Each structure stands twice: as structure tokens, then as C-alpha cells.
Amino acid sequence: MKSFYLTTPIYYVNDAPHIGHAYTTVAGDVLTRWHRQRGESVWFLTGTDEHGQKVMRTAEENKVAPQAWVDKLVADAWKPNWTALNIANDDFIRTTEPRHTERVQKFLQSLKDSGHIYAGKYEGPYCVGCEEFKLPGDLIEADGEKLCPIHSKPIELVNENNWFFKLSAFVEPLLENYRTNPDACQPESARNEVVSFLEGGVSDLSISRSTFDWGIPVPWDTDQVVYVWFDALLNYATAVGLTDAPDSEGGKKFAQTWPADVHLVGKDILRFHAVIWPAMLMAAGLQVPKKVFAHGWLLVGGEKMSKSKLTGIAPSDITDHFGVDAFRYYFLRAIPFGSDGSFSWEDMSARYTSELANDFGNLASRLAAMIEKYCEGKVPAVATDVGLSQALAATVAKADAAMVELDFQGGITAVMEFCKKVNGYVTEKEPWILAKDEANRVELNEVLYNTAESLRALAVLLHPIMPATTEILWESLGANKSIGSIGAQTIANVANWGQLPEGNIVTKTPVLFPRLEIKE
Ligand code: MSP
């Protein structure tokens, strides 16, 4: 069975991760967890981009050999960061690993043998921050100097004899791909940008460098190293066995995963993924990715947040205060995926308090307290409130449709609207009043059952977004014993009403979203 295969960009290890990197990886984690809960086979890849001048120079500035530098950052900063954010990736690729470098060399040799690569001379501007050969029209000018518009730093002039990839030969096939296959590049604004870039004409691409050696040697000309983007883009395929014989383990993995279903990228690296990468695949006779999705930037002061501009915020700055699950929730809930968004402590605090602590967390703790108080801690007899059960079915359909389209905001909003509806139901039924008179016992039990059952569904629907908190809720509902693990619950089954059995033991949860401490 073909797996749903999703990748994040592989991140440069010139520095530790910031919340911009975490934004992409959390989105990938939420989407892959959602697909797992749809019962699909899933493969989720992330990793690190370790070659090139940017990483090499940072290592030099720190007086460390590049390999030692990247080893340390990956072990001390990147991998622990993803563990802390509860990222459930299936694989982690590093471009300095032999499984990558060897397959890159084989791939490159095959493109050379099939006539897609030739010797040439490159003369022009290069931005080390982007690791990109720039066109004069890409640059901005300040104080008589030409700057990269993304990094606001001076570009460098490169003048080298290099190897070139015949990228220009793929303009028509690429345009044809995006015309017939609009899904291949999303959102629409990103596709329009790519199409107009292609229509403007594209030159061949220098794919090797000869003035430094931190990279993969070109197999037939070892004085040159492979251009870092050509090396990095291939990670998506080398990690799943590109170039391995079909009947080998790698070959079988490749057949199971390729083509990738979604490459998640920030809009800054869209062209690499929607122009160069599919052209490389076409040249090798391989299928192009099904979807490249370009999301927007997290902004600080109206500009892309970045370490080089000293605006980088470490994920732990936020998770120390709000917790990991609120971090995972907030950005996807607050910013339409595909648009830019500004981070603000005020907005995050407001949503934390109203949506997570009040609407969701309080509902869970009230229900557990009432079942303990009025029903001796046991779920009462199965009952069905038609209004709630119908609303749940509609919620699941809406959330699922949104999530698979990468509309995280739409998906999460649909689920949280249902949560509000359940709160409204409890407020309207006033079980604490019903409990005052034993004559209302049947109605009281029904209200508590319907609320518990709604929370069962909310736990499952929010699990991909907030895995740890929903696990606590699941435990509190006693669902592990009667229904099975929360991760095994499928989206297709979640709206089937009446799953919590009568007599299930409910225990009080620790507060799911504690009151925030005032930040000085
Ligand atoms: N190494 C390349 C990618 C190679 S993929 C074959 C690279 N690395 S990076 O470390 O600069 O990280 C790039 C990705 O991090 C962006 O595409 C984006 O997904 C994420 N972000 C970095 N800064 C960001 C923001 N300020 N806002 C949102 N995402 C950001 O480019």
C-alpha cells in the first residue's frame, strides 16, 4: 500500500531552531497524525541540511571543523527540540550521512550519463544566506550596495567553472504540470507565482562549486562539490531509497512512498521546490511530487522572523510559559496556513485562556467533577442527544475536509465550535440544578452521558494537535480500558455516538490548561 508521505524542509544547522522552523514541523506533525488517525499508512520525514558555505562559515567562525559543528548542533539542539515538541517523525535525515551522499552521487552520475549535465562558467551574484544564485532583478539596492531582499545582506560575486543542469529544458513540462495539476503547487497564490516565474524564462542551473570543499564531491570531478540545494532537495528521495535496486529494501521503500504526497515549505524556498526539484525528477524519469505547499512567514516587526536579524524566538521561550500543546495549537489556529502572521504574546494569552483553558479544559474538569459527585465516578447509561450527535457528525466531516486540504485553521475552528456547543448544552441543561432533586435522575444522567461522549470525541479530534493533553483526558474518561488507545481511534468512527460504555470509571484530571502566571 502506498504510504501518505510528507516531508518538512531540512533545516540549516548554522544555528539552533526558532519558532519559524517549529511552525513548519508542527504543521507536518499535525497533518501526519491526522492521516494516521484516518487509518492510513504514513511516512513523515524531517532532517538537517548540513553542507554549503553558510554552515561552513559558521563553523569556521566558531573555530570548529564543520562536521564537529553539525554533529553537536544536531545532537544538542535540533533532535531534542523535536522531541520536546512531541514530533512523531518516522525518519530523520542528515545530508552528511553516507546513505544520502552515496545516493546523491549515483543520481548525479545518472543525469550526467543521460546528457542533462554539461560544463560551463558561472558569473553572477550569490547570497550565502539563501545559498542561491541570484538574478540581478532579485536584488535590492541600499547605499550603493546590492543586497539580498530576504537577508538584507550584501550578495557576493561568484566567478567559477562549474557543472550545469539543463533546467531550461523543463520549463514547458513544468508549466504543463501546473496547468493540468493545480494541486501540485498550493496555495493558488504560490502556484501563480511559480507559473509567472516559469513564463518569464529560466536559465540553466550551476549545480557545483569549486572554491570550497564542504559538500558532496562531484563523482567525475572531485575538485568540485555538489551545489548545496541540489544536494539538499535530493534528501526527500534519498531517505526513502532513491537509486536502490527495486527488489532491495530501499527500492521497496521507494515504491511505497514515492511520489511524495506533500512537501511542506516556507514561501521563501518555493522556487527551489516547485521549479528545480520537479525538473530534477523529470530529468531522471521519476514522478514529480503530488503537492508542494508554501506556507507564510511568522513575522516580527513586520519582517520575517530570523536568527540573523536577531528576531528569532526559541520554541522553549513559549513552551516554558504556555506548555507544548498550546504552542502546537496556537499558530495553526491563529494564522491561515499560506498567509503571513505576526506572533504576539497578548493574542496567544487571550486564546489560551478563552479557547483552551475555559472552553476545553474547564469542560473536561467540570464533567469529571460532576460524574464523581453525582454518579459515584461512573459513566451513566448510554443516552443520545440528537442535537449534539448530529453536530458532531457535521463537525467531523467539516474538520476532515479542511485538514486534508491543509486548512488547519478551518479544521481546528470546526472542532472548537463543537466544543463551544457542548459548553452551551451544559449551561442550558444546568445539571447542578437537576441534581438537587432525585426526580430528575434520568435527565441528569443523560446530560452527563452526552457531555462525556462529546468529550470522548473532542479528545480524538484534538489528539493530532495536542497529543499529550488529550491523552490525559482520555485517561480521565477511562476510555483506554474500554475503547482502546486514543491513537487507535479513527476519524471515520469518531462520530459514532455511544462508544463510552456505562460504568466506565471516570477520574478527575489534573487541570489541562493551568492558569497562566503573570509574566513580568
Ligand atoms: N536548508 C534549506 C531547506 C532545504 S529543503 C531541501 C533552508 N533551511 S532553513 O533552516 O533556512 O529553514 C527553512 C524553513 O524554515 C522555511 O522554509 C520555513 O519552512 C521555516 N522558516 C524559517 N523561518 C521562518 C519564519 N520566520 N516563519 C515561518 N517559517 C520559517 O531553507
Side-chain angles (χ1 to χ4, degrees):
M1 183 169 71
K2 163 87 172 74
S3 297
F4 175 81
Y5 179 31
L6 180 139
T7 67
T8 73
I10 49 170
Y11 303 98
Y12 289 126
V13 277
N14 56 319
D15 212 333
H18 60 58
I19 60 171
H21 306 122
Y23 179 55
T24 316
T25 304
V26 166
D29 190 58
V30 168
L31 189 63
T32 45
R33 284 178 186 265
W34 188 272
H35 277 268
R36 282 193 203 104
Q37 297 227 209
R38 295 179 106 224
E40 295 171 28
S41 147
V42 167
W43 197 251
F44 175 26
L45 174 74
T46 189
T48 40
D49 188 354
E50 305 187 0
H51 292 128
Q53 276 171 301
K54 174 156 146 161
V55 172
M56 185 186 77
R57 285 186 188 168
T58 324
E60 278 167 0
E61 282 157 20
N62 287 276
K63 303 195 171 38
V64 185
Q67 188 67 58
W69 172 260
V70 296
D71 286 349
K72 188 166 165 47
L73 262 179
V74 169
D76 294 354
W78 286 86
K79 286 188 169 173
N81 174 63
W82 299 141
T83 308
L85 293 177
N86 220 341
I87 302 300
N89 51 303
D90 296 291
D91 192 6
F92 187 102
I93 187 153
R94 301 181 52 185
T95 54
T96 52
E97 286 175 276
R99 63 168 171 158
H100 175 72
T101 57
E102 284 162 12
R103 287 170 177 147
V104 167
Q105 287 186 322
K106 264 170 83 180
F107 180 88
L108 199 62
Q109 185 68 57
S110 74
L111 286 200
K112 170 93 174 1
D113 295 345
S114 55
H116 294 287
I117 289 176
Y118 63 93
K121 187 176 174 62
Y122 181 80
E123 229 181 315
Y126 189 87
C127 169
V128 175
C130 300
E131 294 281 17
E132 184 176 14
F133 301 99
K134 296 283 184 183
L135 300 171
D138 293 336
L139 306 174
I140 50 169
E141 214 166 315
D143 300 331
E145 248 189 331
K146 301 244 191 259
L147 306 181
C148 160
I150 295 175
H151 291 89
S152 316
K153 283 198 181 147
I155 45 85
E156 301 179 19
L157 286 172
V158 167
N159 187 346
E160 292 180 24
N161 290 316
N162 296 143
W163 293 97
F164 280 72
F165 170 54
K166 288 185 185 168
L167 181 61
S168 57
F170 296 95
V171 169
E172 260 319 307
L174 285 169
L175 280 169
E176 183 57 22
N177 180 41
Y178 294 125
R179 268 195 293 264
T180 51
N181 219 344
D183 245 15
C185 185
Q186 290 284 332
E188 195 185 339
S189 54
R191 188 175 63 257
N192 291 342
E193 185 201 314
V194 167
V195 166
S196 65
F197 175 74
L198 284 165
E199 284 170 348
V202 172
S203 333
D204 290 345
L205 176 74
S206 164
I207 54 150
S208 68
R209 299 293 308 272
S210 59
T211 46
F212 60 93
D213 64 359
W214 181 236
I216 303 175
V218 172
W220 64 88
D221 178 3
T222 49
D223 289 341
Q224 306 240 359
V225 292
V226 178
Y227 168 45
V228 63
W229 268 101
F230 204 86
D231 158 352
L233 287 163
L234 278 163
N235 91 86
Y236 303 131
T238 60
V240 289
L242 173 76
T243 72
D244 286 14
D247 57 353
S248 67
E249 206 183 307
K252 285 183 194 149
K253 184 80 203 164
F254 195 74
Q256 226 174 49
T257 42
W258 205 258
D261 292 80
V262 180
H263 290 314
L264 273 189
V265 298
K267 66 181 189 182
D268 46 331
I269 56 173
L270 172 64
R271 281 188 206 170
F272 294 101
H273 285 82
V275 176
I276 299 175
W277 176 227
M280 288 162 66
L281 291 163
M282 284 174 178
L286 294 165
Q287 282 182 273
V288 297
K290 289 194 196 158
K291 193 195 295 291
V292 172
F293 194 105
H295 66 68
W297 287 338
L298 300 188
L299 307 174
V300 170
E303 279 192 68
K304 178 176 179 243
M305 192 199 65
S306 81
K307 273 279 171 80
S308 62
K309 289 186 178 165
L310 302 177
T311 52
I313 302 171
S316 60
D317 290 343
I318 295 182
T319 57
D320 285 352
H321 188 60
F322 292 99
V324 168
D325 278 353
F327 177 87
R328 294 173 56 102
Y329 172 89
Y330 172 71
F331 293 96
L332 297 177
R333 165 70 184 86
I335 306 167
F337 206 57
S339 307
D340 291 348
S342 297
F343 170 71
S344 103
W345 288 96
E346 291 75 17
D347 186 48
M348 186 161 181
S349 302
R351 282 191 196 279
Y352 177 95
T353 302
S354 76
E355 297 171 16
L356 295 179
N358 293 351
D359 289 352
F360 182 45
N362 277 354
L363 180 66
S365 47
R366 277 158 80 201
L367 183 265
M370 289 191 290
I371 290 203
E372 181 171 87
K373 192 163 167 199
Y374 307 135
C375 310
E376 292 163 349
K378 290 189 189 131
V379 170
V382 176
T384 308
D385 180 86
V386 176
L388 282 181
S389 90
Q390 285 179 349
L392 174 61
T395 299
V396 174
K398 199 168 170 191
D400 190 42
M403 294 298 276
V404 298
E405 289 295 323
L406 287 84
D407 173 10
F408 297 101
Q409 188 180 54
I412 297 171
T413 306
V415 177
M416 295 313 279
E417 286 296 321
F418 177 69
C419 185
K420 269 194 196 317
K421 195 174 170 67
V422 182
N423 274 303
Y425 169 83
V426 175
T427 309
E428 185 201 316
K429 299 287 181 184
E430 300 182 309
W432 48 91
I433 308 269
L434 293 174
K436 290 191 172 148
D437 184 348
E438 197 47 37
N440 299 323
R441 169 52 61 183
V442 173
E443 196 182 352
L444 172 65
N445 283 354
E446 283 174 1
V447 173
L448 295 182
Y449 186 85
N450 286 319
T451 309
E453 187 59 6
S454 300
L455 275 163
R456 186 234 358 121
L458 281 168
V460 176
L461 293 171
L462 291 171
H463 186 57
I465 301 132
M466 301 188 283
T469 311
T470 49
E471 185 80 61
I472 295 172
L473 173 57
W474 197 248
E475 192 62 48
S476 133
L477 292 171
N480 268 318
K481 289 199 192 82
S482 52
I483 313 184
S485 75
I486 189 168
Q489 307 305 309
T490 60
I491 300 296
N493 191 37
V494 74
N496 289 332
W497 197 264
Q499 294 184 45
L500 275 178
E502 179 177 358
N504 224 36
I505 308 284
V506 172
T507 41
K508 276 198 200 159
T509 53
V511 175
L512 296 183
F513 297 97
R515 193 182 289 273
L516 295 173
E517 279 165 36
I518 306 292
K519 225 176 139 66
E520 293 301 316

